[in-house]
Amino acid sequence: TPPEQIRNFCIIAHIDHGKSTLADRMLQITGVVEPRQMRAQYLDRMDIERERGITIKSQAVRMPWAADVGDGQDVFALNMIDTPGHVDFTYEVSRSLAACEGAVLLVDAAQGIEAQTLANLYLAMENDLAIIPVLNKIDLPAAQPEKYAEELAGLIGCDPGDVLKVSGKTGEGVEALLDEIVAQLPPPEGRPEAPARAMIFDSVYDTYRGVVTYVRVVDGTLNPRERIEMMSTKATHDLLELGIISPEPLPSKGLGVGEVGYLITGVKDVRQSKVGDTVTTSARPAESPIGGYKDPRPMVFSGLYPIDGSDYPTLRDALDKLKLNDAALAYEPETSAALGFGFRVGFLGLLHLEIVRERLEREFDLDLISTQPNVVYEVTMEDGTDVRVTNPSEFPYGKVGEIREPIVRATILAPSEYIGAIMELCQSKRGQLGGMDYLSEDRVEMRYTLPLAEIVFDFFDQLKSKTRGYASLDYQEAGDQVADLVKVDILLQGETVDAFSAVVHKDKAYAYGTSMAGKLKELIPRQQFEVPIQAAIGSRIIARENIRAIRKDVLSKCYGGDISRKRKLLEKQKEGKKRMKNIGTVEVPQEAFVAALSSD
Ligand code: GTP
């Protein structure tokens, strides 16, 4: 297809504003999917995605669309590139956007603009995309298309009359939207004769075919059977197949300027095909890559341990398998005195953590304990050595010079009556107000810089409860800052329990210590002797609780006599002990760890 007849676009929207429904409707109206094969949310492949209604992996579908041109009609190829919808995947979103010339900015006509709408809009603007503003769900009785058209027009600086109104559900207005995509978005530009350059915006592991790489060709042409080169690593692979998706893979004879499609090389690991990387050919390599490549970097770490120690090899195999499909997943073995053998696993963010954990439990049938998520700290010692801490229990002792923690730039959108509550919350989380704008009389956008550590804790839940669910949040990493942090240890009878060590701000150390000690006091059963629970910073004790002694004599219940009953009881007690972990001489039931580590 010549570039003039190609339009590459994506749909950007806040979660639940109806992106998948609209995408499905477009596939149906353009005849790519027959109504009877229409399976809800065609683009979302994985079960978990469907169940949670979120999109994790971006993909691209080509749709033919006949539109009016000056002297009659032409058939255009519309490439719809799906963007992941959550804050953890900002980098993947930005690469998907970079593969497009334009974006449909979709807003629920009953909700108005939300934080994710804005965050994605800013990303689209950074990528110089043409924006088509669209209100969705106009069939809803609660829709206020006039009010929100004005809000949207004010935001992007257009006339309220230029805001399109559609319903992904009934299909109303969707054909007009397809026409506008052709009319308003520029065709792709590139140099057809130049050495080939294509940007990878996604790669997915497929059990049968190995890694399927999604690319957008910028310059030149990629042809089947060529040897291709990944420009970040110089690794070369034979191109076994290339083609377009519509809606199933369709091999083609070549991909030219502006085209979007897939490549198959037979590699088995998505890390060989990195999002953001540039593909060129070995025969005639391009001089420089397309800009914007970044290595995926885990931001949040958590220890994952099998509840049943004998599941450790299964957990290891499961992580190896997941990694084939998830370039951002990083892990290494770890042992904990309290929890046994497990892994320290790095994630892009909290949602990523939840998804991985859920897949491990569901697809590999594992029962897991995960430790409290933590961020990465960079510590510079007084002697100048640098330490990178991904596990609080490994926080260095001794002469610490400076500690840096990651920060994020957060966008919060809420009705203006909650400004006070939000400011209070953000201040208590060490937030710095960067600016505030009214989107309309009663809705406000607040921009904060916050430590990521405070967000991974329970920020989102608190924000929701303080604003009765009306606030929305989005954030992006924004470097790091020096902070006054300390490591708090929890000791049981003088022994540090590694799983409970945490790095917290100095002002919050006491609160963390007392709450953890209090929780453990409730959760750990009484022992034959008194057990002190202490919270400490270094050698300084900051909180203390006691578990009082009890003489747990199971035999006293037997009133002497019946020997077989006695034996049974003793055996039962022994079995109970199996699920206990010993911290020094203290026996702690595994449930106590699980409960203490769950966040509430
Ligand atoms: P994520 O993939 O989680 O970002 O969600 P999404 O934006 O793709 O939203 P989705 O298409 O899953 O729609 C969210 C909800 O809104 C679903 O319950 C849809 O049935 C509903 N919905 C979507 N479009 C319309 C519409 O035009 N009208 C009405 N009434 N409901 C709609």
Side-chain angles (χ1 to χ4, degrees), residues 555 557-559 562-570:
L555 300 186
K557 284 194 196 121
C558 296
Y559 314 113
D562 190 346
I563 261 297
S564 71
R565 181 149 182 218
K566 232 182 213 171
R567 194 175 301 126
K568 233 187 202 155
L569 266 172
L570 282 170

Side-chain angles (χ1 to χ4, degrees), residues 129-150:
L129 302 195
I131 309 287
I132 302 180
V134 179
L135 287 175
N136 187 30
K137 307 197 191 181
I138 51 166
D139 60 293
L140 284 177
Q144 295 178 275
E146 301 318 317
K147 174 179 170 188
Y148 291 124
E150 218 154 281

Side-chain angles (χ1 to χ4, degrees), residues 15-21 41 53 55 137 139-140 167-169:
I15 212 148
D16 274 348
H17 282 201
K19 187 175 78 178
S20 308
T21 308
Q41 309 209 339
T55 316
K137 307 197 191 181
D139 60 293
L140 284 177
S167 164
K169 190 171 173 184

Side-chain angles (χ1 to χ4, degrees), residues 118-165:
L118 285 183
N120 286 335
L121 174 64
Y122 298 152
L123 281 177
M125 288 176 3
E126 280 168 27
N127 281 291
D128 286 326
L129 302 195
I131 309 287
I132 302 180
V134 179
L135 287 175
N136 187 30
K137 307 197 191 181
I138 51 166
D139 60 293
L140 284 177
Q144 295 178 275
E146 301 318 317
K147 174 179 170 188
Y148 291 124
E150 218 154 281
E151 198 178 88
L152 204 44
L155 179 68
I156 63 171
C158 68
D159 190 273
D162 293 338
V163 176
L164 300 182
K165 302 185 178 72

Side-chain angles (χ1 to χ4, degrees), residues 528-541:
Q528 312 280 10
F529 41 85
E530 187 178 271
V531 178
I533 307 172
Q534 295 161 308
I537 300 173
S539 55
R540 188 162 56 89
I541 304 297

